[in-house]
Amino acid sequence: MISQGFVQESGLGTVLKDAYVGAGSMKLFPTNVWTSINQSRVYFRSDDETRTKMSGQLLVTNMFDTTGVDSLIPWHTGEYELDQLHPNSGVCPRMNEVSDAAYASDTYVSEIASSLVVSMDMDLDSILGADYWDWYTVMDCFETTVCTGRDIPDGTTEIPMTDTLFNSTIAQAEYIWAYRALYNNSWWSKLAMGQTVYFIRERMNAAITANSATPATDDALQFVLYSAHDTTVMPLLAALFGEQWDGLWAGYGSLMSFELYNSSSVGDEYYFRIVYN
């Protein structure tokens, strides 16, 4: 995790504290003091990658006051190779078939073979080295470089790295990723995020059941945190919103909030909303 990410995740914790902690009917917790809340109604989850664990733990320690806590705070992880908190074709091989179909489609083949993309590909080969980059990793390489104040290779007098080439590279990488994510009614994205959305839905249903019981019970989760990847956020957006998603790469510290509300005026109806950044 870069230092900017440390600051961003800490800031997200403060944002969520302001939104969900304090007095009022729209708050989840009256206090953020960890030892004063019902810890059985809070659930923290990430895969076992260091950066996702750190991101989530930074958020939590800024949302909740954990100073003086002398016991461990439960943190649930999934083994990365088997986890479905990110798109994992090792667990769902069908994703590979859909990916192949997307990238073999006439629309994609025509775009990737266009003179503009072929020329850009050749320029990047010249600047970065033909065997040292690809369209899947160039986004990470470029963004982590410029966001930490380092220089992108200048290129040569004949083929310089210009702002236009840099921005076009980012846009092309976004197009390639978003094309697959949205292909055929977001098929790949729905396969990728199916399990995650299932658990989100089931936890919302459990909260509705607990609140609708007579008398209401307090055994449902109030706050669930998933700490994942940009490559989790993007297919989740594509799966849920389809073409309404703008197709842009999820920035550092991106946040999706799923909020459940019960109506105060329409009987037992419930509503939810999704807030992105």
Side-chain angles (χ1 to χ4, degrees), residues 198-217:
Y198 169 81
F199 283 122
I200 292 172
R201 185 191 68 188
E202 288 305 289
R203 284 173 173 144
M204 284 189 170
N205 282 336
I208 290 172
T209 299
N211 191 64
S212 301
T214 305
T217 64

Side-chain angles (χ1 to χ4, degrees), residues 14-224:
T14 301
V15 167
L16 293 182
K17 180 179 68 176
D18 292 343
Y20 301 134
V21 178
S25 60
M26 304 296 279
K27 304 294 186 179
L28 293 175
F29 309 102
T31 176
N32 77 324
V33 177
W34 179 253
T35 53
S36 298
I37 68 171
N38 184 347
Q39 296 164 26
S40 67
R41 304 192 69 187
V42 179
Y43 181 89
F44 304 136
R45 159 87 159 93
S46 69
D47 57 35
D48 62 359
E49 293 283 279
T50 299
R51 63 186 181 275
T52 51
K53 287 189 291 186
M54 286 181 63
S55 294
Q57 290 163 3
L58 282 166
L59 185 154
V60 165
T61 54
N62 282 272
M63 180 177 178
F64 296 101
D65 179 4
T66 59
T67 56
V69 175
D70 57 4
S71 60
L72 295 177
I73 296 174
W75 194 276
H76 302 265
T77 63
E79 183 179 352
Y80 187 82
E81 296 302 323
L82 300 174
D83 207 337
Q84 295 185 65
L85 196 53
H86 63 92
N88 192 342
S89 60
V91 177
C92 179
R94 182 65 165 156
M95 289 172 58
N96 288 329
E97 299 176 30
V98 177
S99 180
D100 291 343
Y103 290 145
S105 65
D106 291 343
T107 300
Y108 180 80
V109 170
S110 176
E111 197 279 340
I112 206 71
S114 67
S115 58
L116 182 63
V117 175
V118 170
S119 176
M120 182 164 44
D121 204 316
M122 293 172 61
D123 288 348
L124 292 171
D125 278 349
S126 174
I127 296 171
L128 303 176
D131 297 322
Y132 293 96
W133 75 281
D134 59 57
W135 285 114
Y136 187 80
T137 58
V138 72
M139 172 70 76
D140 272 351
C141 293
F142 273 18
E143 294 292 349
T144 54
T145 298
V146 298
C147 286
T148 51
R150 293 173 290 161
D151 294 329
I152 298 292
D154 292 331
T156 64
T157 302
E158 293 78 17
I159 305 177
M161 174 56 75
T162 62
D163 285 346
T164 297
L165 178 57
F166 178 89
N167 292 332
S168 297
T169 300
I170 297 297
Q172 183 64 19
E174 288 178 323
Y175 170 82
I176 291 171
W177 217 98
Y179 186 87
R180 177 180 61 181
L182 293 169
Y183 172 75
N184 199 4
N185 195 27
S186 305
W187 191 4
W188 182 87
S189 298
K190 290 172 181 177
L191 289 172
M193 291 292 101
Q195 188 193 75
T196 297
V197 171
Y198 169 81
F199 283 122
I200 292 172
R201 185 191 68 188
E202 288 305 289
R203 284 173 173 144
M204 284 189 170
N205 282 336
I208 290 172
T209 299
N211 191 64
S212 301
T214 305
T217 64
D218 61 355
D219 55 356
L221 292 169
Q222 282 182 292
F223 180 81
V224 176

